[in-house]
Amino acid sequence: MEAILSFDRQLFHWLNVQLNIPALDWFMILVSAVSDKGLFWFLIVIVLLLIRQRVGGLRPAATLFAGIGIGGVIEYAMKFAIMRPRPPAVEEQVIHLTHMPISSSFPSGHAVSSFVSMYVLYRLFPKSIRWTLPCALIMAYSRIYVGVHYPLDVIGGAIIGIIAGKITMRVPVMKIAYKILSYVPIIRRYILPNAEIIPQNSPAETPFAAQKKQNEKV
């Protein structure tokens, strides 16, 4: 284990110091900021809510929201259990470009939220992988670049994110969402009565697959 951690620290130094390109600093800081706490992916949730009638109803937004939440729970549990210090706290040479969170280093929350979102969106909209995967990779890498995570933190976060995505796709998200939202008066009155907003698709079926089946029946 010590050999793995030693290699991880050496790889961090190479990526953070040797491969640093000052002209890219502003971009990496921006990427790291917009993906903090899953902000970028929560914005995608809002977009999916706004265009819900075009993407098969409320399910895509609810599933992505649930995935980010499930990933976050696993992430915080592991941070508390492992308590790995962040690079600036223990390394002598670090290019540190942003504030250092008070939470522990493993796993990377940015990587978890990015990869769980990438996986969920891929399962719902397969073609989305063309932009979600590059976004997830650059957001995860940005945390090494700005000096607050080791490579192993990011790799572990990506794996946890994909596992959380798989769990999410097996959860009856729509049934749970319907029960929760039915207690909110405004939503119960103006949204839930519309059948097209809450489609009865199976968890593994994408909105576009459902539309294809409907067309075949016609």
Side-chain angles (χ1 to χ4, degrees):
M1 188 62 182
E2 184 59 35
I4 295 176
L5 294 177
S6 176
F7 175 75
D8 189 36
R9 290 192 294 269
Q10 293 176 24
L11 183 58
F12 168 79
H13 183 271
W14 182 64
L15 294 172
N16 176 255
V17 179
Q18 300 298 324
L19 294 188
N20 175 263
I21 303 175
L24 291 180
D25 287 358
W26 69 271
F27 176 71
M28 288 299 185
I29 293 172
L30 176 63
V31 169
S32 180
V34 299
S35 56
D36 189 29
K37 302 296 187 299
L39 176 60
F40 176 83
W41 304 104
F42 278 121
L43 292 177
I44 300 300
V45 171
I46 294 175
V47 171
L48 291 173
L49 282 173
L50 294 175
I51 62 172
R52 58 184 179 273
Q53 292 182 338
R54 294 173 52 188
V55 296
L58 188 63
R59 180 173 174 253
T63 305
L64 180 55
F65 183 82
I68 297 172
I70 291 172
V73 170
I74 299 175
E75 170 210 338
Y76 280 109
M78 295 196 69
K79 280 182 180 294
F80 182 78
I82 297 175
M83 298 295 290
R84 185 185 192 187
R86 292 180 182 266
V90 293
E91 303 294 337
E92 294 184 358
Q93 292 184 329
V94 177
I95 297 180
H96 187 201
L97 302 176
T98 187
H99 74 283
M100 186 170 70
I102 61 174
S103 60
S104 56
S105 192
F106 184 91
S108 165
H110 286 60
V112 173
S113 62
S114 295
F115 277 84
V116 67
S117 299
M118 180 273 295
Y119 182 85
V120 169
L121 289 171
Y122 166 70
R123 288 291 305 274
L124 295 173
F125 313 103
K127 291 184 179 180
S128 69
I129 195 71
R130 298 173 183 175
W131 63 270
T132 56
L133 180 57
C135 283
L137 289 171
I138 192 66
M139 288 175 183
Y141 175 70
S142 72
R143 300 303 280 171
I144 302 173
Y145 189 96
V146 301
V148 294
H149 275 297
Y150 291 100
L152 191 59
D153 302 335
V154 170
I155 295 172
I159 294 173
I160 292 170
I162 293 175
I163 292 173
K166 289 179 177 292
I167 294 173
T168 302
M169 298 307 295
R170 292 180 176 274
V171 172
V173 173
M174 290 314 302
K175 291 182 179 179
I176 296 173
Y178 191 92
K179 289 182 179 179
I180 294 175
L181 296 177
S182 64
Y183 289 101
V184 182
I186 294 177
I187 294 179
R188 185 174 65 242
R189 180 175 181 182
Y190 294 105
I191 296 181
L192 295 184
N194 300 322
E196 71 275 8
I197 302 301
I198 309 290
Q200 301 300 317
N201 296 338
S202 63
E205 188 176 38
T206 68
F208 295 116
Q211 183 62 43
K212 182 179 179 181
K213 287 184 178 181
Q214 184 64 29
N215 294 337
E216 291 176 351
K217 290 180 181 180
V218 175

